[in-house]
Amino acid sequence: MSDPQLDIVAIGNAIVDVLAQADDAFIAEEGMAKGTMQLLFSTEEAEALYAKMGVGREVSGGSAANTVAGIAALGGKTGFIGQVADDQLGAVFAHDIRAQGVAFTTAPREQTEPSTARCLILVTPDGQRTMNTYLGASQFLPESALDRAMIENGAILYLEGYLWDPEEPRAAMRAAIEIAHGKGRKVAFTLSDTFCISRHRDSFRELIANGDVDILFANEAEITSLTELSDFEAAVAAVAPQVRVLVVTRSEKGAIAICEGQRFAVGAEPIDKVVDTTGAGDLFAAGFLTGQAQGRSIEQSLRMGAICAAEIISHYGARPEVDLKALVESRLG
């Protein structure tokens, strides 16, 4: 088996994030549930909300894309597979993620409808983000679009649960798991959101039980939703034996990891003020996966995740605003 040329290859929604500040009154007027994610089902609906938003900032986004951008900022070698349309936002996504140092080879979908996915993120003064997502072209990632060589050359394949909903990319991700495991690579999977779990609980459980997932990421709400157990410790105990590594983030309580029966824990990094929680889980995964790719211990990898998450929630947006590699090295000592 040849040595991998990339640390992490991710498959996920190729989304352009548009972030803008908003107050609670606007959230209520638009009928949104603050701090949650809701889907928009047409380009017209997405454009209508965009027109009402304040001044926004556009960057390539999507959960797994945020993670690989974070890994690249930490000095890792990464690749991303995701579908955009042949339109202006598709060009924005491709240029931006490549500029982050991430290899991106997926050809744009020839049809201009649906358009490239976008996530309209409204950030309230308390740092909570309310996301309105139009998945557009990202839902149409076919198996034929997979860069097989890229997957084979990645030490870890990272998959996001958000993309499990549509049939076409779900089949593509199953094929990618076979490619990765066929080369002896590890597969990491993030449950992404309780919304995803409620729709695909049995499917996720099957993936885990079949040994298709080596590293599983979840937060407290997601792990209890997956197991349908209200007790956190019971939920962890039910899932941990089924994966090589289980990582569960716990917001201000830090995070834990169970690796082959051994438990590790890390506290949350201190921060002056939570500004925007967008991407906290994505960047935690970036730190942890980078640590694993570098051969660090589980405990050090957890610490790297916590440092990255704390940096992200200290400002708007899901991309680091400091030299993330230098920050991690200074904090780890």
Side-chain angles (χ1 to χ4, degrees):
M1 183 177 65
S2 60
D3 292 335
Q5 302 302 304
L6 296 170
D7 297 315
I8 289 90
V9 173
I11 301 178
N13 282 308
I15 299 175
V16 175
D17 285 344
V18 182
L19 295 103
Q21 298 182 45
D23 56 25
D24 289 346
F26 181 81
I27 302 294
E29 287 168 7
E30 293 299 316
M32 303 170 191
K34 180 180 172 181
T36 65
M37 189 277 286
Q38 68 175 359
L39 292 176
L40 305 177
F41 296 99
S42 70
T43 300
E44 292 74 21
E45 190 179 3
E47 289 180 348
L49 176 58
Y50 179 71
K52 297 178 184 178
M53 294 170 62
V55 177
R57 185 156 61 97
E58 297 178 352
V59 294
S60 61
S63 176
N66 289 337
T67 296
V68 291
I71 294 166
L74 288 165
K77 297 179 180 179
T78 68
F80 179 76
I81 298 170
Q83 190 69 70
V84 297
D86 188 9
D87 57 16
Q88 183 178 356
L89 282 182
V92 168
F93 180 91
H95 177 271
D96 190 66
I97 196 164
R98 288 169 181 154
Q100 304 288 326
V102 178
F104 178 63
T105 61
T106 314
R109 194 167 183 261
E110 292 182 0
Q111 297 92 327
T112 56
E113 284 295 333
S115 58
T116 295
R118 77 245 8 219
C119 184
L120 307 177
I121 304 171
L122 300 164
V123 185
T124 43
D126 59 359
Q128 287 294 309
R129 82 272 196 251
T130 303
M131 299 184 293
N132 301 271
T133 305
Y134 172 57
L135 293 172
S138 69
Q139 301 178 90
F140 295 91
L141 176 73
E143 183 178 339
S144 61
L146 296 178
D147 186 331
R148 186 184 185 97
M150 181 183 284
I151 295 168
E152 290 178 342
N153 282 314
I156 301 172
L157 173 67
Y158 179 69
L159 307 173
E160 68 169 79
Y162 283 127
L163 194 56
W164 200 257
D165 207 42
E167 182 177 348
E168 201 167 14
R170 184 165 66 247
M173 286 196 286
R174 287 189 183 278
I177 291 171
E178 291 187 12
I179 294 169
H181 277 162
K183 280 291 184 179
R185 311 309 190 196
K186 295 184 178 67
V187 173
F189 190 89
T190 174
L191 294 175
S192 293
D193 195 279
T194 55
F195 167 81
C196 302
I197 297 168
S198 65
R199 293 173 63 86
H200 301 287
R201 184 177 288 108
D202 290 343
S203 182
F204 287 171
R205 285 175 171 175
E206 181 184 7
L207 266 184
I208 294 165
N210 287 346
D212 291 326
V213 177
D214 302 293
I215 304 170
L216 181 66
F217 289 92
N219 62 27
E220 283 191 86
E222 290 158 5
I223 199 71
T224 54
S225 176
L226 178 70
T227 58
E228 297 182 286
L229 296 170
S230 58
D231 182 75
F232 172 72
E233 293 297 340
V236 169
V239 177
Q242 300 181 71
V243 294
R244 190 184 73 84
V245 181
L246 171 65
V247 180
V248 186
T249 57
R250 309 186 70 188
S251 299
E252 70 279 359
K253 291 180 282 188
I256 66 164
I258 310 294
C259 179
E260 299 175 351
Q262 189 172 359
R263 184 176 180 128
F264 304 86
V266 64
E269 288 290 303
I271 183 173
D272 293 334
K273 180 183 178 182
V274 175
V275 176
D276 174 18
T277 56
T278 304
D282 303 335
L283 269 293
F284 187 97
F288 184 87
L289 290 172
T290 300
Q292 289 295 283
Q294 293 175 346
R296 294 178 183 268
S297 68
I298 294 292
E299 194 166 17
Q300 277 192 316
S301 298
L302 282 173
R303 183 86 194 284
M304 288 176 68
I307 293 168
C308 292
E311 193 282 330
I312 286 300
I313 64 176
S314 69
H315 58 76
Y316 290 107
R319 298 293 166 83
E321 294 188 349
V322 301
D323 184 331
L324 202 58
K325 183 178 179 181
L327 175 66
V328 168
E329 290 174 350
S330 67
R331 293 283 182 87
L332 284 181

